[in-house]
Amino acid sequence: MKIFEEIESEVRSYARAFPRLFDKALGELIYDEDGNEYIDFLAGAGSLNYGHNHPVFKEKLIDYIQRDGITQGLDLHTRAKGEFLESFNENILKPRDLDYIVMFTGPTGTNAVEAALKIARKKTGRENIISFTNGWHGQSLGSLSVTGNSTHRGGAGIALHGSTRIPYDGYLGDDFDTTNLLDKMLSDSSSGVDKPAAVIVETVQGEGGINAASMTWLQSLSEICKRHEVLLIVDDIQAGCGRTGTFFSFEEAGIYPDIVTLSKSLSGYGLPFAVVLMKPEVDQWSPGEHNGTFRGNNHAFVTAKAALDYFWKDDTFAKEVQRKGQYIAERVDRIVAKYGEGNFNSHGRGMFRGINCVSGDLAGQITRKCFQNGLIIETSGADDHVVKFLCPLTISDANLQKGIDILEKAIKEVCDKADSIPEEKDFFEGDYSVSDEASKSDMVEPENNKAAS
């Protein structure tokens, strides 16, 4: 462990939360160098939807390497890329009646987002991008401009331009449809909002606190984009590849985004891989206008094809994810009803679920206690107050139950020791107590004015 302290940057994060030297992993289990076993509810921050070292993918990759298959292909035509495209078209696009062009970008999620923003601006000739409160889209400058988190935005070191922030679904309370606000602002030439090139949205905000947009809100957002001739970008980097119960997280809403970004679990094996999907009319690139050296990761093409062929030829796997998602939801609902003095609540959709513990301190205590008892689980949200489920979708029923049992025990122990559980602040409750005297003055002011006149 000494070498990490000596020469690795202070920027490291997960290593501080889980200070062990990890050496081996299989499925939903990960082991440290002393042989201690942990159930993994982090799964490479959602990049391991099919678990660690899936045996089918591993065999395909080893065979490919042993026959000296191309590793780095830039954007050359390779057999591995062609076979991935054929599988993606047959297993994903055609069954969903989606007519998308596939663009291979640099290998990370933020590369895909940068490309999506860039092509939207090129296609429309407009600069502004509508993004949402608590949204998270990556760490490079363009992606940060549409990301909400102030800490990460502050790390840019320069002003971030080109985006207008709009409240996400539920941000202004359950009774306020924020798409109506967007529609009004785009319809009013004096709203101060420049007509945007695109709207970028996560259907479930992962880093923002597992906030799940309703299907009606997503449908309304899609219609507003069409009405105002604005492109709709769905960032499906964390919520996609089955995490919500369907391959794309927007399927249940029945919408057809103009642009979709995918990364994280796309390779199936945790190998770097990202793509931008776009409607054919959006594909306005000139050759080489946007590229990246590592857009040709052929090892990722091999394992991605294996994942599509193995899990997505029919809806069997999706139904399993939905079943497990229902189990997680039921367990979480019981937990929040039992602990937290009624102040905890459940967020999310499918196997993308979180427990809002209101306090970042409480959530941190809970995840640390989980780790002590063999469960790796992290937090999200503006104040790290949401305990976040990102277990592999392939997790066994037994280990899913065991992991949640460990979490529930940790929540009980932390809550039992807490002096009190903070209530979630309601900014729209209408508390006027601070300005009682001012209110009285305001009420008599008209009379005073009348007398003066």
Side-chain angles (χ1 to χ4, degrees):
M1 298 288 281
K2 185 180 178 183
I3 189 64
F4 304 110
E5 295 292 334
E6 285 182 350
I7 67 171
E8 190 178 6
S9 167
E10 291 297 320
V11 78
R12 62 192 184 278
S13 172
Y14 293 113
R16 298 180 189 278
F18 310 112
R20 296 289 187 279
L21 188 59
F22 295 102
D23 184 52
K24 179 182 174 183
L26 183 62
E28 64 268 22
L29 301 175
I30 186 168
Y31 302 86
D32 65 24
E33 65 171 349
D34 297 322
N36 297 310
E37 179 183 276
Y38 301 85
I39 299 174
D40 189 0
F41 270 31
L42 177 60
S47 63
L48 294 165
N49 278 2
Y50 313 104
H52 297 268
N53 290 305
H54 192 283
V56 171
F57 311 164
K58 181 165 62 176
E59 181 181 2
K60 297 286 186 183
L61 180 58
I62 290 172
D63 288 347
Y64 182 81
I65 292 171
Q66 286 183 333
R67 73 166 183 81
D68 296 324
I70 291 171
T71 298
Q72 157 63 302
L74 298 172
D75 69 355
L76 294 171
H77 299 322
T78 65
R79 181 173 298 280
K81 183 199 282 188
E83 290 179 350
F84 163 75
L85 285 171
E86 288 175 354
S87 180
F88 192 75
N89 197 33
E90 292 300 319
N91 293 319
I92 304 300
L93 298 182
K94 284 184 178 180
R96 294 161 180 80
D97 294 321
L98 296 173
D99 182 18
Y100 282 134
I101 298 295
V102 181
M103 175 188 180
F104 296 90
T105 69
T108 70
T110 198
N111 293 145
V113 170
E114 294 284 354
L117 300 179
K118 190 171 171 182
I119 193 60
R121 287 169 170 144
K122 179 179 172 65
K123 166 66 177 171
T124 62
R126 301 190 289 267
E127 177 184 348
N128 191 29
I129 303 290
I130 298 293
S131 57
F132 292 94
T133 51
N134 289 308
W136 173 271
H137 301 285
Q139 296 276 32
S140 50
L141 291 182
S143 300
L144 278 177
S145 73
V146 292
T147 288
N149 186 282
S150 60
T151 299
H152 292 281
R153 288 170 59 81
I158 63 170
L160 298 168
H161 302 290
S163 174
T164 300
R165 204 91 48 212
I166 295 292
Y168 191 72
D169 190 20
Y171 189 82
L172 297 178
D174 294 337
D175 298 326
F176 192 103
D177 185 345
T178 59
T179 61
N180 291 333
L181 174 62
L182 175 61
D183 193 17
K184 173 66 174 175
M185 296 183 81
L186 295 183
S187 300
D188 182 358
S189 61
S190 291
S191 69
V193 175
D194 295 333
K195 185 172 183 178
V199 170
I200 185 167
V201 66
E202 302 159 277
T203 68
V204 182
Q205 296 182 320
E207 300 307 311
I210 323 297
N211 308 307
S214 70
M215 298 305 115
T216 54
W217 188 87
L218 291 170
Q219 290 159 1
S220 177
L221 180 64
S222 177
E223 287 303 313
I224 288 165
C225 287
K226 291 175 186 174
R227 187 180 311 137
H228 293 280
E229 298 181 328
V230 172
L231 299 177
L232 176 61
I233 304 170
V234 169
D235 181 343
D236 234 8
I237 289 166
Q238 192 162 143
C241 297
R243 175 62 50 183
T244 64
T246 52
F247 186 85
F248 296 110
S249 70
F250 56 81
E251 291 181 44
E252 189 179 343
I255 62 175
Y256 183 8
D258 299 287
I259 302 172
V260 180
T261 59
L262 289 174
S263 185
K264 284 197 182 285
S265 281
L266 182 60
S267 78
Y269 205 73
L271 299 173
F273 185 21
V275 298
V276 173
L277 310 178
M278 64 192 96
K279 292 180 178 178
E281 62 270 22
V282 176
D283 185 24
Q284 300 290 311
W285 297 114
S286 300
E289 187 175 9
H290 186 96
N291 54 38
T293 301
F294 292 101
R295 65 195 184 280
N297 184 353
N298 281 250
H299 290 172
F301 300 155
V302 169
T303 55
K305 177 187 184 300
L308 297 176
D309 291 346
Y310 190 80
F311 287 109
W312 295 102
K313 277 190 174 295
D314 55 36
D315 63 358
T316 303
F317 179 64
K319 287 180 176 177
E320 271 294 284
V321 175
Q322 292 160 19
R323 179 185 65 79
K324 291 174 186 175
Q326 184 60 37
Y327 172 76
I328 293 171
E330 290 170 357
R331 286 291 308 270
V332 167
D333 286 346
R334 290 199 296 269
I335 288 170
V336 300
K338 190 173 182 180
Y339 308 103
E341 299 175 0
N343 297 327
F344 292 177
N345 56 70
S346 171
H347 288 190
R349 182 156 59 92
M351 290 182 72
F352 206 3
R353 186 66 56 175
I355 298 177
N356 178 6
C357 300
V358 185
S359 160
D361 178 59
L362 285 178
Q365 291 181 51
I366 290 166
T367 56
R368 286 192 293 274
K369 194 163 286 291
C370 285
F371 184 55
Q372 292 167 8
N373 291 299
L375 176 68
I376 296 175
I377 190 167
E378 254 289 11
T379 57
S380 73
D383 300 311
D384 292 319
H385 58 287
V386 177
V387 177
K388 177 182 182 182
F389 287 69
L390 274 180
C391 56
L393 308 183
T394 54
I395 189 170
S396 69
D397 288 352
N399 280 330
L400 180 57
Q401 178 181 335
K402 182 179 178 182
I404 299 177
D405 287 346
I406 292 171
L407 173 60
E408 181 172 2
K409 181 182 177 185
I411 290 173
K412 180 183 186 305
E413 291 178 3
V414 169
C415 288
D416 284 347
K417 291 181 180 178
D419 294 331
S420 63
I421 306 296
E423 294 183 22
E424 188 168 19
K425 185 173 182 180
D426 186 347
F427 287 92
F428 310 104
E429 207 169 78
D431 181 6
Y432 302 104
S433 59
V434 174
S435 55
D436 281 347
E437 292 303 315
S439 298
K440 290 173 186 175
S441 299
D442 290 342
M443 286 190 288
V444 299
E445 187 63 30
E447 283 297 321
N448 291 342
N449 287 344
K450 225 180 267 185
S453 62

